Amino acid sequence: MLAPQPVQSDTSLSREDMGFVAKLVYEHAGIVIREHKEAMARGRLARRVKVLGLGSIAEYCAYLRTPAAADEIPELINAVTTNHTAFFRERHHFDHLRKDVLPHLVQERAGRRGRIRIWSAACSSGEEPYSIAAIARDVIGHRGDLDFRILATDIDTDILDRAAAGQYPAEQFERLPPDLRPLLKLEGQNARGEVRIAEDLKRLIAFRRLNLIESWPMKGPFDVIFCRNVFIYFDTPTKAAILDRYVALLQPGGFLYLGHSESLPQPHPQLRLIGRTIYERTP
């Protein structure tokens, strides 16, 4: 007798369902899923079909149309968001932070319990905020007269759990430049071949879920905001609205870092370009 074969889910995606999913994701996260991303969306939705034990993407979309699917919306957003990052990615930003920004802030605020705040918006799996923490610890050390903290946010709850754990495959560190790798202060290796970021650096970071198109609970001000490879997922009105909110939370003289393929959606009267994808807030 032949063994029963597993039932294969139908992974076809109709134009109607594609439009429905794209509209749902835009309404809840501001993310635009363009037509050329249909294959990506189909693959991501198929994963949710499998997790929920459904028979097809069409059945999944029918479920999303019901009131009972309210708890599934965050899972849908998690599924369609792209998380690609690396330690010290776009190194020129970290060189600027290390050589120009942090030494000035230390000189300006040390001695009076000065406050320094950096926000890693859309932090993904955590490589960016840990890179910031490594640079900061190298520059600032363990001074008791400075209050330094990093806020790291992302919309994807699953990826935030991974970021907070601070455990990464050892090969990620082996590819780092020799002058940067020691800054991460790696600790041990588990049975899966993952290396842990030092608690000394983890204590500098607060990981929180944040949807950039919803209300922001933090009041700032921030000295630096990393918002890299985020604007590429939004349309121009959404980018402009988020940019205004960033500027409102930036200290005068603070810095905004964008991704290598990004630019401002339009010129902003309080931002001036001072380097490659580095903007300074003017008074």
Side-chain angles (χ1 to χ4, degrees):
M1 179 182 293
L2 293 176
Q5 297 298 308
V7 177
Q8 296 295 316
S9 299
D10 180 0
T11 59
S12 60
L13 178 61
S14 71
R15 186 166 297 276
E16 179 186 358
D17 283 341
M18 177 65 189
F20 165 70
V21 169
K23 183 173 184 290
L24 196 63
V25 170
Y26 181 79
E27 289 174 348
H28 286 271
I31 296 171
V32 177
I33 301 179
R34 295 178 172 85
E35 287 187 9
H36 71 280
K37 294 290 188 181
E38 181 175 334
M40 177 275 290
R42 186 169 59 250
R44 305 284 179 85
L45 296 177
R47 295 178 200 169
R48 292 306 302 162
V49 169
K50 184 176 181 180
V51 168
L52 296 173
L54 301 175
S56 65
I57 291 179
E59 189 177 339
Y60 178 63
C61 291
Y63 171 59
L64 287 173
R65 288 179 168 91
T66 69
D71 292 340
E72 175 61 20
I73 300 301
E75 298 297 339
L76 169 66
I77 303 302
N78 289 354
V80 301
T81 49
T82 299
N83 298 292
H84 176 70
T85 185
F87 291 103
F88 303 104
R89 186 184 186 191
E90 299 181 46
R91 177 166 177 167
H92 65 286
H93 289 150
F94 295 98
D95 288 341
H96 181 255
L97 182 69
R98 186 180 196 176
K99 298 173 183 176
D100 299 312
V101 179
L102 288 175
H104 169 74
L105 292 173
V106 170
Q107 183 178 26
E108 178 184 76
R109 300 178 190 176
R112 52 189 178 87
R113 189 60 179 169
R115 179 182 181 276
I116 299 175
R117 291 291 185 271
I118 296 179
W119 178 15
S120 170
C123 68
S124 187
S125 48
E127 286 91 335
E128 180 176 276
Y130 286 125
S131 299
I132 298 168
I135 293 293
R137 185 61 84 201
D138 184 55
V139 174
I140 298 174
H142 292 82
R143 305 182 62 122
D145 57 351
L146 282 172
D147 175 16
F148 177 85
R149 294 288 290 168
I150 299 163
L151 173 65
T153 66
D154 202 277
I155 193 172
D156 187 331
T157 52
D158 295 334
I159 208 73
L160 276 174
D161 289 340
R162 287 170 51 192
Q167 298 185 152
Y168 302 92
E171 56 265 26
Q172 283 191 241
F173 305 103
E174 293 165 2
R175 296 191 294 265
L176 291 175
D179 63 319
L180 294 178
R181 184 180 179 186
L183 300 183
L184 289 166
K185 301 180 180 180
L186 307 179
E187 295 180 345
Q189 187 166 323
N190 63 23
R192 296 189 301 273
E194 295 174 327
V195 181
R196 186 173 63 253
I197 299 290
E199 290 296 323
D200 179 47
L201 298 184
K202 293 173 73 173
R203 283 192 292 269
L204 298 176
I205 307 169
F207 289 99
R208 299 288 185 270
R209 184 187 183 275
L210 182 72
N211 185 334
L212 288 172
I213 68 167
E214 294 179 353
S215 61
W216 297 358
M218 61 281 197
K219 303 189 186 316
F222 291 96
D223 299 289
V224 178
I225 297 176
F226 282 73
C227 176
R228 306 187 306 169
N229 307 303
V230 176
F231 280 173
I232 56 176
Y233 299 105
F234 298 129
D235 59 14
T236 298
T238 303
K239 286 189 282 191
I242 292 173
L243 181 65
D244 283 339
R245 297 171 79 182
Y246 281 150
V247 172
L249 289 181
L250 261 180
Q251 288 268 24
F255 298 94
L256 172 67
Y257 298 140
L258 299 184
H260 69 279
S261 62
E262 297 174 313
S263 59
L264 300 183
Q266 58 197 33
H268 195 286
Q270 290 180 284
L271 291 175
R272 67 185 183 99
L273 183 66
I274 64 162
R276 185 157 50 109
T277 56
I278 300 175
Y279 295 85
E280 181 180 17
R281 184 191 162 175
T282 58

